[in-house]
Amino acid sequence: MVQHTDVDLDDLDLSILREMEADGRQSISALAKKLVISRAYAGKRLQGLLDRDVTRIVTFTDPRVLGLRTMAIVGIQVSLADLHAAADRLRALPSVHLVMITAGPHNIVIEAMFTDPKELSGLLTRDLGSIPGIKSTETTTVLEWRKMSFSYLASSGLVSGDPRQPEALASERSVAPISDTSVDELDLMLLQELEADGRQPVSDLAKKLGTSRAYMSSRLQRILDQHIARVVAHTNPLALGYGIFAMIGIKVLPSDTNAIADKLRYLPNVNGVVIVAGRHDIIIWTMFPTPIDLSGFLEKELGGIPGIISAECTILLELRKMSFPYLVRSHLAAQGGPKAGKGPQGKQAR
């Protein structure tokens, strides 16, 4: 039994969450069949998880298909009197998709994505330069993603009994190379609709976008098959008992960078792994129930990997923005593109 405040999750809840993290568009009938329960009961249990805000169905679009191939992590030192005001100013920047108030080398950390390095230069000089209270910044450029997972159950190992080997599961969560896959205006409109409600039926999507059901079905299947976007359950980690979130910058021997990055992908409690240029060589995102668990991870897991020279932790104190589930909407709004339609935020179980 996983407990957090007033949220109690039993084994069936965890199994539902695991299945929906793998495929947020699967039908209630398919879910019920996998879990060997009635359709009505499966729908009721999933709806209960959505209503309690334990999870929500979201669409994550690969930023590279939008041309966002320059990503930076910026640590910012802000005067304490201006801390929250600066965080609010950073939230308003369309290129900034993550804003965290933190404890560590910096008291704010942001993540931002751009089409080219010139836009990053504009953020650092023009945008950050206009925010009062900022004393210094440190920019780390992401060179390569090795793991990007919003599947907290898969990363934590809370759900047991999956017949697949851990190696297979880790491989599924790695970041696949993106081809020269292009998206047109209809694809973008479809992605915006999925961001508004990832489980809406194909017939509804076809009607909204003015195409036939068959044509819309093929478009949607292409987007999913080519990993342009994923529709998944994004579970609240607090509901799973996690209270400590840490971004860990790791320094390694240059010759060991690739091998160590691949080893880090397999570790439990690790949701993201990137190879970077900056003060660190690798950055990972992790979550733990308690500070003691984080301490044990640093000593036993990271300490057991040869080639790691040092590790520096930044602890998340407050999340002020996370707009990755609405990447298409924010990107097109900044470019004056098609406007996203309004719809439910993925809380209806179908």
Side-chain angles (χ1 to χ4, degrees), residues 102-134:
T102 59
H106 311 283
N107 50 19
I108 293 181
V109 174
I110 65 173
E111 293 179 23
M113 289 183 283
F114 312 91
T115 57
D116 60 56
K118 288 184 178 179
E119 293 180 355
L120 170 58
S121 178
L123 171 76
L124 298 174
T125 57
R126 180 187 62 249
D127 297 330
L128 299 192
S130 67
I131 298 177
I134 291 182

PDB file of all heavy atoms in Angstrom, residues 102-134:
ATOM      1  N   THR A 102      14.883  26.245  -5.847  1.00  0.00           N
ATOM      2  CA  THR A 102      15.710  25.116  -5.440  1.00  0.00           C
ATOM      3  C   THR A 102      16.635  25.463  -4.283  1.00  0.00           C
ATOM      4  O   THR A 102      16.857  26.630  -3.958  1.00  0.00           O
ATOM      5  CB  THR A 102      16.565  24.641  -6.636  1.00  0.00           C
ATOM      6  OG1 THR A 102      17.382  25.729  -7.094  1.00  0.00           O
ATOM      7  CG2 THR A 102      15.698  24.140  -7.774  1.00  0.00           C
ATOM      8  N   ALA A 103      17.181  24.420  -3.705  1.00  0.00           N
ATOM      9  CA  ALA A 103      18.246  24.536  -2.714  1.00  0.00           C
ATOM     10  C   ALA A 103      19.478  23.849  -3.286  1.00  0.00           C
ATOM     11  O   ALA A 103      19.408  22.695  -3.701  1.00  0.00           O
ATOM     12  CB  ALA A 103      17.836  23.876  -1.397  1.00  0.00           C
ATOM     13  N   GLY A 104      20.582  24.579  -3.312  1.00  0.00           N
ATOM     14  CA  GLY A 104      21.808  24.028  -3.893  1.00  0.00           C
ATOM     15  C   GLY A 104      22.674  25.155  -4.396  1.00  0.00           C
ATOM     16  O   GLY A 104      22.665  26.259  -3.831  1.00  0.00           O
ATOM     17  N   PRO A 105      23.397  24.945  -5.482  1.00  0.00           N
ATOM     18  CA  PRO A 105      24.280  26.001  -6.001  1.00  0.00           C
ATOM     19  C   PRO A 105      23.519  27.244  -6.465  1.00  0.00           C
ATOM     20  O   PRO A 105      24.070  28.329  -6.495  1.00  0.00           O
ATOM     21  CB  PRO A 105      24.984  25.315  -7.186  1.00  0.00           C
ATOM     22  CG  PRO A 105      24.826  23.857  -6.942  1.00  0.00           C
ATOM     23  CD  PRO A 105      23.530  23.694  -6.220  1.00  0.00           C
ATOM     24  N   HIS A 106      22.233  27.075  -6.843  1.00  0.00           N
ATOM     25  CA  HIS A 106      21.411  28.180  -7.314  1.00  0.00           C
ATOM     26  C   HIS A 106      20.059  28.110  -6.605  1.00  0.00           C
ATOM     27  O   HIS A 106      19.637  27.054  -6.148  1.00  0.00           O
ATOM     28  CB  HIS A 106      21.214  28.101  -8.832  1.00  0.00           C
ATOM     29  CG  HIS A 106      22.488  27.885  -9.588  1.00  0.00           C
ATOM     30  ND1 HIS A 106      23.400  28.895  -9.815  1.00  0.00           N
ATOM     31  CD2 HIS A 106      23.015  26.771 -10.154  1.00  0.00           C
ATOM     32  CE1 HIS A 106      24.427  28.420 -10.489  1.00  0.00           C
ATOM     33  NE2 HIS A 106      24.226  27.123 -10.704  1.00  0.00           N
ATOM     34  N   ASN A 107      19.379  29.263  -6.531  1.00  0.00           N
ATOM     35  CA  ASN A 107      18.060  29.206  -5.894  1.00  0.00           C
ATOM     36  C   ASN A 107      16.906  29.193  -6.879  1.00  0.00           C
ATOM     37  O   ASN A 107      15.748  29.038  -6.492  1.00  0.00           O
ATOM     38  CB  ASN A 107      17.873  30.322  -4.853  1.00  0.00           C
ATOM     39  CG  ASN A 107      18.239  31.700  -5.371  1.00  0.00           C
ATOM     40  OD1 ASN A 107      18.304  31.929  -6.566  1.00  0.00           O
ATOM     41  ND2 ASN A 107      18.481  32.623  -4.446  1.00  0.00           N
ATOM     42  N   ILE A 108      17.183  29.308  -8.169  1.00  0.00           N
ATOM     43  CA  ILE A 108      16.205  29.038  -9.218  1.00  0.00           C
ATOM     44  C   ILE A 108      16.904  28.260 -10.321  1.00  0.00           C
ATOM     45  O   ILE A 108      18.043  28.564 -10.688  1.00  0.00           O
ATOM     46  CB  ILE A 108      15.600  30.338  -9.805  1.00  0.00           C
ATOM     47  CG1 ILE A 108      14.740  31.058  -8.766  1.00  0.00           C
ATOM     48  CG2 ILE A 108      14.751  30.025 -11.032  1.00  0.00           C
ATOM     49  CD1 ILE A 108      14.099  32.345  -9.291  1.00  0.00           C
ATOM     50  N   VAL A 109      16.235  27.236 -10.847  1.00  0.00           N
ATOM     51  CA  VAL A 109      16.716  26.510 -12.020  1.00  0.00           C
ATOM     52  C   VAL A 109      15.591  26.494 -13.048  1.00  0.00           C
ATOM     53  O   VAL A 109      14.438  26.205 -12.713  1.00  0.00           O
ATOM     54  CB  VAL A 109      17.144  25.069 -11.679  1.00  0.00           C
ATOM     55  CG1 VAL A 109      17.500  24.298 -12.948  1.00  0.00           C
ATOM     56  CG2 VAL A 109      18.335  25.076 -10.718  1.00  0.00           C
ATOM     57  N   ILE A 110      15.931  26.818 -14.296  1.00  0.00           N
ATOM     58  CA  ILE A 110      14.953  26.769 -15.376  1.00  0.00           C
ATOM     59  C   ILE A 110      15.457  25.856 -16.484  1.00  0.00           C
ATOM     60  O   ILE A 110      16.664  25.617 -16.609  1.00  0.00           O
ATOM     61  CB  ILE A 110      14.661  28.167 -15.955  1.00  0.00           C
ATOM     62  CG1 ILE A 110      15.906  28.751 -16.631  1.00  0.00           C
ATOM     63  CG2 ILE A 110      14.133  29.100 -14.870  1.00  0.00           C
ATOM     64  CD1 ILE A 110      15.639  30.061 -17.378  1.00  0.00           C
ATOM     65  N   GLU A 111      14.530  25.349 -17.265  1.00  0.00           N
ATOM     66  CA  GLU A 111      14.859  24.629 -18.485  1.00  0.00           C
ATOM     67  C   GLU A 111      14.132  25.321 -19.624  1.00  0.00           C
ATOM     68  O   GLU A 111      12.958  25.689 -19.494  1.00  0.00           O
ATOM     69  CB  GLU A 111      14.440  23.163 -18.408  1.00  0.00           C
ATOM     70  CG  GLU A 111      15.228  22.363 -17.391  1.00  0.00           C
ATOM     71  CD  GLU A 111      14.779  20.920 -17.308  1.00  0.00           C
ATOM     72  OE1 GLU A 111      14.185  20.430 -18.292  1.00  0.00           O
ATOM     73  OE2 GLU A 111      14.997  20.299 -16.265  1.00  0.00           O
ATOM     74  N   ALA A 112      14.832  25.506 -20.739  1.00  0.00           N
ATOM     75  CA  ALA A 112      14.255  26.217 -21.875  1.00  0.00           C
ATOM     76  C   ALA A 112      14.676  25.540 -23.165  1.00  0.00           C
ATOM     77  O   ALA A 112      15.733  24.907 -23.239  1.00  0.00           O
ATOM     78  CB  ALA A 112      14.696  27.683 -21.869  1.00  0.00           C
ATOM     79  N   MET A 113      13.826  25.674 -24.192  1.00  0.00           N
ATOM     80  CA  MET A 113      14.093  25.058 -25.487  1.00  0.00           C
ATOM     81  C   MET A 113      13.953  26.092 -26.592  1.00  0.00           C
ATOM     82  O   MET A 113      13.079  26.960 -26.538  1.00  0.00           O
ATOM     83  CB  MET A 113      13.138  23.887 -25.726  1.00  0.00           C
ATOM     84  CG  MET A 113      13.436  22.685 -24.841  1.00  0.00           C
ATOM     85  SD  MET A 113      12.354  21.285 -25.194  1.00  0.00           S
ATOM     86  CE  MET A 113      10.852  21.820 -24.383  1.00  0.00           C
ATOM     87  N   PHE A 114      14.798  25.941 -27.616  1.00  0.00           N
ATOM     88  CA  PHE A 114      14.861  26.929 -28.689  1.00  0.00           C
ATOM     89  C   PHE A 114      15.106  26.228 -30.020  1.00  0.00           C
ATOM     90  O   PHE A 114      15.577  25.096 -30.067  1.00  0.00           O
ATOM     91  CB  PHE A 114      16.006  27.919 -28.440  1.00  0.00           C
ATOM     92  CG  PHE A 114      16.038  28.474 -27.049  1.00  0.00           C
ATOM     93  CD1 PHE A 114      16.787  27.837 -26.059  1.00  0.00           C
ATOM     94  CD2 PHE A 114      15.323  29.603 -26.718  1.00  0.00           C
ATOM     95  CE1 PHE A 114      16.819  28.336 -24.776  1.00  0.00           C
ATOM     96  CE2 PHE A 114      15.338  30.108 -25.434  1.00  0.00           C
ATOM     97  CZ  PHE A 114      16.091  29.475 -24.453  1.00  0.00           C
ATOM     98  N   THR A 115      14.831  26.959 -31.099  1.00  0.00           N
ATOM     99  CA  THR A 115      15.117  26.409 -32.421  1.00  0.00           C
ATOM    100  C   THR A 115      16.595  26.508 -32.764  1.00  0.00           C
ATOM    101  O   THR A 115      17.101  25.713 -33.552  1.00  0.00           O
ATOM    102  CB  THR A 115      14.294  27.136 -33.502  1.00  0.00           C
ATOM    103  OG1 THR A 115      14.570  28.542 -33.440  1.00  0.00           O
ATOM    104  CG2 THR A 115      12.802  26.906 -33.283  1.00  0.00           C
ATOM    105  N   ASP A 116      17.299  27.510 -32.193  1.00  0.00           N
ATOM    106  CA  ASP A 116      18.728  27.645 -32.476  1.00  0.00           C
ATOM    107  C   ASP A 116      19.418  28.359 -31.320  1.00  0.00           C
ATOM    108  O   ASP A 116      18.755  28.971 -30.464  1.00  0.00           O
ATOM    109  CB  ASP A 116      18.961  28.394 -33.797  1.00  0.00           C
ATOM    110  CG  ASP A 116      18.370  29.794 -33.793  1.00  0.00           C
ATOM    111  OD1 ASP A 116      18.713  30.591 -32.894  1.00  0.00           O
ATOM    112  OD2 ASP A 116      17.551  30.090 -34.678  1.00  0.00           O
ATOM    113  N   PRO A 117      20.752  28.301 -31.281  1.00  0.00           N
ATOM    114  CA  PRO A 117      21.488  28.910 -30.163  1.00  0.00           C
ATOM    115  C   PRO A 117      21.307  30.422 -30.045  1.00  0.00           C
ATOM    116  O   PRO A 117      21.466  30.977 -28.955  1.00  0.00           O
ATOM    117  CB  PRO A 117      22.952  28.556 -30.483  1.00  0.00           C
ATOM    118  CG  PRO A 117      22.867  27.332 -31.325  1.00  0.00           C
ATOM    119  CD  PRO A 117      21.631  27.499 -32.151  1.00  0.00           C
ATOM    120  N   LYS A 118      20.981  31.118 -31.149  1.00  0.00           N
ATOM    121  CA  LYS A 118      20.772  32.565 -31.068  1.00  0.00           C
ATOM    122  C   LYS A 118      19.619  32.905 -30.127  1.00  0.00           C
ATOM    123  O   LYS A 118      19.652  33.916 -29.427  1.00  0.00           O
ATOM    124  CB  LYS A 118      20.512  33.141 -32.460  1.00  0.00           C
ATOM    125  CG  LYS A 118      21.738  33.172 -33.369  1.00  0.00           C
ATOM    126  CD  LYS A 118      21.413  33.845 -34.684  1.00  0.00           C
ATOM    127  CE  LYS A 118      22.645  33.910 -35.578  1.00  0.00           C
ATOM    128  NZ  LYS A 118      22.346  34.551 -36.895  1.00  0.00           N
ATOM    129  N   GLU A 119      18.584  32.069 -30.132  1.00  0.00           N
ATOM    130  CA  GLU A 119      17.455  32.306 -29.247  1.00  0.00           C
ATOM    131  C   GLU A 119      17.863  32.115 -27.788  1.00  0.00           C
ATOM    132  O   GLU A 119      17.397  32.830 -26.903  1.00  0.00           O
ATOM    133  CB  GLU A 119      16.298  31.381 -29.601  1.00  0.00           C
ATOM    134  CG  GLU A 119      15.682  31.667 -30.964  1.00  0.00           C
ATOM    135  CD  GLU A 119      14.532  30.733 -31.269  1.00  0.00           C
ATOM    136  OE1 GLU A 119      14.274  29.814 -30.466  1.00  0.00           O
ATOM    137  OE2 GLU A 119      13.884  30.928 -32.320  1.00  0.00           O
ATOM    138  N   LEU A 120      18.728  31.138 -27.539  1.00  0.00           N
ATOM    139  CA  LEU A 120      19.256  30.960 -26.188  1.00  0.00           C
ATOM    140  C   LEU A 120      20.039  32.197 -25.765  1.00  0.00           C
ATOM    141  O   LEU A 120      19.902  32.667 -24.625  1.00  0.00           O
ATOM    142  CB  LEU A 120      20.150  29.718 -26.139  1.00  0.00           C
ATOM    143  CG  LEU A 120      20.978  29.521 -24.854  1.00  0.00           C
ATOM    144  CD1 LEU A 120      20.082  29.462 -23.621  1.00  0.00           C
ATOM    145  CD2 LEU A 120      21.826  28.245 -24.971  1.00  0.00           C
ATOM    146  N   SER A 121      20.839  32.744 -26.672  1.00  0.00           N
ATOM    147  CA  SER A 121      21.589  33.962 -26.369  1.00  0.00           C
ATOM    148  C   SER A 121      20.644  35.097 -26.006  1.00  0.00           C
ATOM    149  O   SER A 121      20.891  35.874 -25.080  1.00  0.00           O
ATOM    150  CB  SER A 121      22.458  34.350 -27.563  1.00  0.00           C
ATOM    151  OG  SER A 121      23.146  35.550 -27.310  1.00  0.00           O
ATOM    152  N   GLY A 122      19.514  35.191 -26.707  1.00  0.00           N
ATOM    153  CA  GLY A 122      18.535  36.218 -26.410  1.00  0.00           C
ATOM    154  C   GLY A 122      17.928  36.069 -25.029  1.00  0.00           C
ATOM    155  O   GLY A 122      17.695  37.057 -24.322  1.00  0.00           O
ATOM    156  N   LEU A 123      17.671  34.817 -24.626  1.00  0.00           N
ATOM    157  CA  LEU A 123      17.149  34.575 -23.276  1.00  0.00           C
ATOM    158  C   LEU A 123      18.138  35.060 -22.223  1.00  0.00           C
ATOM    159  O   LEU A 123      17.760  35.744 -21.264  1.00  0.00           O
ATOM    160  CB  LEU A 123      16.871  33.088 -23.077  1.00  0.00           C
ATOM    161  CG  LEU A 123      16.540  32.678 -21.638  1.00  0.00           C
ATOM    162  CD1 LEU A 123      15.111  33.077 -21.264  1.00  0.00           C
ATOM    163  CD2 LEU A 123      16.733  31.175 -21.414  1.00  0.00           C
ATOM    164  N   LEU A 124      19.412  34.713 -22.409  1.00  0.00           N
ATOM    165  CA  LEU A 124      20.419  35.017 -21.394  1.00  0.00           C
ATOM    166  C   LEU A 124      20.718  36.502 -21.304  1.00  0.00           C
ATOM    167  O   LEU A 124      20.924  37.033 -20.207  1.00  0.00           O
ATOM    168  CB  LEU A 124      21.702  34.240 -21.695  1.00  0.00           C
ATOM    169  CG  LEU A 124      21.584  32.714 -21.672  1.00  0.00           C
ATOM    170  CD1 LEU A 124      22.891  32.073 -22.125  1.00  0.00           C
ATOM    171  CD2 LEU A 124      21.199  32.214 -20.292  1.00  0.00           C
ATOM    172  N   THR A 125      20.728  37.174 -22.429  1.00  0.00           N
ATOM    173  CA  THR A 125      21.118  38.587 -22.417  1.00  0.00           C
ATOM    174  C   THR A 125      19.926  39.526 -22.282  1.00  0.00           C
ATOM    175  O   THR A 125      19.913  40.419 -21.429  1.00  0.00           O
ATOM    176  CB  THR A 125      21.898  38.929 -23.694  1.00  0.00           C
ATOM    177  OG1 THR A 125      21.094  38.615 -24.836  1.00  0.00           O
ATOM    178  CG2 THR A 125      23.188  38.142 -23.750  1.00  0.00           C
ATOM    179  N   ARG A 126      18.909  39.303 -23.089  1.00  0.00           N
ATOM    180  CA  ARG A 126      17.764  40.222 -23.106  1.00  0.00           C
ATOM    181  C   ARG A 126      16.754  39.890 -22.004  1.00  0.00           C
ATOM    182  O   ARG A 126      16.413  40.753 -21.181  1.00  0.00           O
ATOM    183  CB  ARG A 126      17.073  40.167 -24.467  1.00  0.00           C
ATOM    184  CG  ARG A 126      15.866  41.099 -24.593  1.00  0.00           C
ATOM    185  CD  ARG A 126      15.143  40.857 -25.899  1.00  0.00           C
ATOM    186  NE  ARG A 126      14.605  39.502 -25.998  1.00  0.00           N
ATOM    187  CZ  ARG A 126      15.062  38.569 -26.825  1.00  0.00           C
ATOM    188  NH1 ARG A 126      16.082  38.821 -27.620  1.00  0.00           N
ATOM    189  NH2 ARG A 126      14.513  37.363 -26.859  1.00  0.00           N
ATOM    190  N   ASP A 127      16.277  38.649 -21.969  1.00  0.00           N
ATOM    191  CA  ASP A 127      15.188  38.292 -21.054  1.00  0.00           C
ATOM    192  C   ASP A 127      15.651  38.266 -19.601  1.00  0.00           C
ATOM    193  O   ASP A 127      15.053  38.913 -18.737  1.00  0.00           O
ATOM    194  CB  ASP A 127      14.592  36.943 -21.454  1.00  0.00           C
ATOM    195  CG  ASP A 127      13.955  36.975 -22.828  1.00  0.00           C
ATOM    196  OD1 ASP A 127      13.466  38.054 -23.221  1.00  0.00           O
ATOM    197  OD2 ASP A 127      13.949  35.945 -23.513  1.00  0.00           O
ATOM    198  N   LEU A 128      16.706  37.518 -19.324  1.00  0.00           N
ATOM    199  CA  LEU A 128      17.180  37.434 -17.945  1.00  0.00           C
ATOM    200  C   LEU A 128      17.770  38.768 -17.493  1.00  0.00           C
ATOM    201  O   LEU A 128      17.669  39.132 -16.315  1.00  0.00           O
ATOM    202  CB  LEU A 128      18.212  36.319 -17.790  1.00  0.00           C
ATOM    203  CG  LEU A 128      17.732  34.893 -18.108  1.00  0.00           C
ATOM    204  CD1 LEU A 128      18.763  33.881 -17.634  1.00  0.00           C
ATOM    205  CD2 LEU A 128      16.380  34.601 -17.503  1.00  0.00           C
ATOM    206  N   GLY A 129      18.370  39.490 -18.423  1.00  0.00           N
ATOM    207  CA  GLY A 129      18.954  40.775 -18.072  1.00  0.00           C
ATOM    208  C   GLY A 129      17.936  41.818 -17.652  1.00  0.00           C
ATOM    209  O   GLY A 129      18.287  42.811 -17.002  1.00  0.00           O
ATOM    210  N   SER A 130      16.670  41.599 -18.007  1.00  0.00           N
ATOM    211  CA  SER A 130      15.632  42.574 -17.676  1.00  0.00           C
ATOM    212  C   SER A 130      14.903  42.246 -16.378  1.00  0.00           C
ATOM    213  O   SER A 130      14.011  42.999 -15.969  1.00  0.00           O
ATOM    214  CB  SER A 130      14.609  42.647 -18.817  1.00  0.00           C
ATOM    215  OG  SER A 130      13.874  41.423 -18.911  1.00  0.00           O
ATOM    216  N   ILE A 131      15.260  41.152 -15.722  1.00  0.00           N
ATOM    217  CA  ILE A 131      14.566  40.731 -14.498  1.00  0.00           C
ATOM    218  C   ILE A 131      15.335  41.223 -13.282  1.00  0.00           C
ATOM    219  O   ILE A 131      16.494  40.829 -13.066  1.00  0.00           O
ATOM    220  CB  ILE A 131      14.406  39.196 -14.456  1.00  0.00           C
ATOM    221  CG1 ILE A 131      13.549  38.734 -15.634  1.00  0.00           C
ATOM    222  CG2 ILE A 131      13.779  38.754 -13.135  1.00  0.00           C
ATOM    223  CD1 ILE A 131      13.391  37.223 -15.735  1.00  0.00           C
ATOM    224  N   PRO A 132      14.733  42.055 -12.456  1.00  0.00           N
ATOM    225  CA  PRO A 132      15.428  42.569 -11.264  1.00  0.00           C
ATOM    226  C   PRO A 132      15.770  41.460 -10.279  1.00  0.00           C
ATOM    227  O   PRO A 132      15.011  40.495 -10.120  1.00  0.00           O
ATOM    228  CB  PRO A 132      14.404  43.543 -10.651  1.00  0.00           C
ATOM    229  CG  PRO A 132      13.454  43.874 -11.752  1.00  0.00           C
ATOM    230  CD  PRO A 132      13.388  42.640 -12.612  1.00  0.00           C
ATOM    231  N   GLY A 133      16.905  41.594  -9.628  1.00  0.00           N
ATOM    232  CA  GLY A 133      17.290  40.670  -8.573  1.00  0.00           C
ATOM    233  C   GLY A 133      18.199  39.552  -8.998  1.00  0.00           C
ATOM    234  O   GLY A 133      18.781  38.866  -8.149  1.00  0.00           O
ATOM    235  N   ILE A 134      18.341  39.332 -10.311  1.00  0.00           N
ATOM    236  CA  ILE A 134      19.216  38.260 -10.778  1.00  0.00           C
ATOM    237  C   ILE A 134      20.673  38.710 -10.635  1.00  0.00           C
ATOM    238  O   ILE A 134      21.084  39.737 -11.183  1.00  0.00           O
ATOM    239  CB  ILE A 134      18.908  37.868 -12.231  1.00  0.00           C
ATOM    240  CG1 ILE A 134      17.545  37.183 -12.305  1.00  0.00           C
ATOM    241  CG2 ILE A 134      19.998  36.953 -12.790  1.00  0.00           C
ATOM    242  CD1 ILE A 134      17.163  36.717 -13.698  1.00  0.00           C
TER     243      ILE A 134
END
